[in-house]
Amino acid sequence: MKPVRKVIIPVAGHGTRVLPATKSIPKELLPLVDRPLIDYVVREAFDAGIEHVILVTGRGKGAIEDYFDHAFELETGLEAKNKSDILARVRKSIPKAGSISYTRQQAPLGLGHAVWCARDIIGDEPFAVSLPDVVIDGAPSALAQMVGEYEKTGGNIIAVEEVPIEDTNKYGVVAAKAERAGRSFEISAMVEKPDPAKAPSNLAITGRYILQPEIFGLLEKTARGAGGEIQLTDAMDALMAQQAFYAYEYEGVSHDCGSTLGWLTANAALALNNPELGAAYKEFLKSRL
Ligand code: G1P
């Protein structure tokens, strides 16, 4: 079985739900405590053993590339002022040379199309997909849990969590093949953003995937689906006819940072756990509640 070495992270979206905050900066650079959102999902991938990160980017997203590169004047200035702790924080997020690639999604045709744009960089091997809006607070991380699971089961794995049934039209939703026992189970169907009345369950796809490269051929043929976009869920549903597909209910708490409330809860949860800021932040919250 080939290992999961690469991850695709789509970053071309406009962040419509959090405008105007994202009018002139990519939503992936919104801060989460002391680092931008994208830093969390990239670090999660490298910490899970991924060797190569592929960002599917778009117009107006150049600042993301700068974030993962050296900033010569900044670093030289910090060095000259002996600000070695800040310098170390700045440098910590710069990946090893050659371990991050960028390709552009030239038109906003949906998540399935964004993933397809990275097909040549992935080649013929299994890969992960991580959506940067979805920040998952968990130790080990959700992706690390899934990579561990993949080493046991192979096939395709998608992270899921239970959501209120009235929210199914915001997510991809899966149906379990049999009675669920444990965190990992086989899937019999999946559908993108179903009406609650038609949803096969309340198990929502939560922004982390491990997929086989055969998905690319199917994505190429996938017609526009929910919202008029080429949906990854539709191609995965087609791949399920050929290969094993598992849902994995990860251990952790997800925050949808593509919404203002989700971004706020992520900041609060992470700030409370931050060793430097947590105690003072908690005091502040207590004084306000
Ligand atoms: C995407 C996926 C959906 C998944 C969701 C998780 O939707 O298409 O299946 O449940 O991410 O956040 P989006 O939020 O991009 O509309």
Side-chain angles (χ1 to χ4, degrees):
M1 186 163 70
K2 288 185 187 170
V4 184
R5 297 192 313 117
K6 300 178 185 174
V7 64
I8 300 174
I9 304 180
V11 295
H14 289 309
T16 322
R17 289 182 294 155
V18 283
L19 278 168
T22 53
K23 184 180 168 191
S24 54
I25 57 159
K27 67 173 171 177
E28 296 79 11
L29 293 183
L30 289 175
L32 199 46
V33 186
D34 55 356
R35 296 184 276 135
L37 280 177
I38 188 69
D39 193 292
Y40 287 81
V41 78
V42 167
R43 202 174 284 184
E44 178 187 0
F46 284 128
D47 287 348
I50 299 287
E51 297 165 19
H52 196 121
V53 168
I54 298 139
L55 298 188
V56 181
T57 177
R59 270 172 66 75
K61 298 279 183 163
I64 298 176
E65 293 180 42
D66 290 341
Y67 180 77
F68 290 111
D69 197 0
H70 285 285
F72 182 76
E73 298 90 336
L74 174 69
E75 291 177 38
T76 314
L78 290 170
E79 231 159 22
K81 290 181 190 149
N82 281 326
K83 301 218 182 262
S84 52
D85 51 338
I86 303 179
L87 184 61
R89 285 181 193 213
V90 167
R91 286 187 173 152
K92 190 168 177 191
S93 294
I94 301 175
K96 197 171 82 183
S99 63
I100 190 159
S101 298
Y102 303 88
T103 187
R104 277 199 181 202
Q105 184 184 24
Q106 294 148 318
L109 297 177
L111 176 60
H113 179 258
V115 168
W116 179 77
C117 287
R119 65 200 178 282
D120 275 350
I121 309 179
I122 296 292
D124 188 25
E125 56 182 276
F127 62 96
V129 177
S130 288
L131 307 188
D133 283 0
V134 185
V135 169
I136 302 177
D137 201 0
S141 73
L143 193 60
Q145 293 172 46
M146 289 170 72
V147 168
E149 199 57 31
Y150 179 77
E151 283 159 6
K152 290 186 244 157
T153 62
N156 299 269
I157 307 181
I158 32 190
V160 296
E161 68 174 31
E162 290 195 32
V163 297
I165 194 78
E166 62 271 20
D167 286 344
T168 56
N169 56 3
K170 296 183 191 157
Y171 303 97
V173 174
V174 307
K177 205 171 211 172
E179 186 99 354
R180 279 156 56 203
R183 296 194 171 275
S184 174
F185 51 93
E186 269 198 88
I187 306 172
S188 60
M190 58 183 111
V191 49
E192 183 68 16
K193 305 202 170 79
D195 279 342
K198 290 189 187 151
S201 78
N202 68 335
L203 286 165
I205 301 175
T206 331
R208 301 287 182 278
Y209 312 72
I210 292 177
L211 298 170
Q212 297 297 328
E214 287 74 22
I215 194 81
F216 293 120
L218 294 164
L219 280 169
E220 199 154 347
K221 289 185 259 166
T222 300
R224 290 176 188 239
E229 296 186 341
I230 298 169
Q231 295 292 351
L232 180 59
T233 305
D234 293 341
M236 294 193 302
D237 194 49
L239 185 57
M240 210 168 47
Q242 306 164 18
Q243 296 183 357
F245 244 99
Y246 303 93
Y248 180 73
E249 214 175 345
Y250 58 87
E251 214 174 330
V253 178
S254 72
H255 302 276
D256 172 13
C257 295
S259 77
T260 307
L261 183 61
W263 176 76
L264 285 169
T265 62
N267 268 292
L270 270 62
L272 283 169
N273 275 340
N274 184 287
E276 287 164 38
L277 306 168
Y281 185 60
K282 191 172 181 181
E283 283 313 305
F284 166 77
L285 288 181
K286 277 203 312 218
S287 74
R288 286 302 178 101
L289 292 172

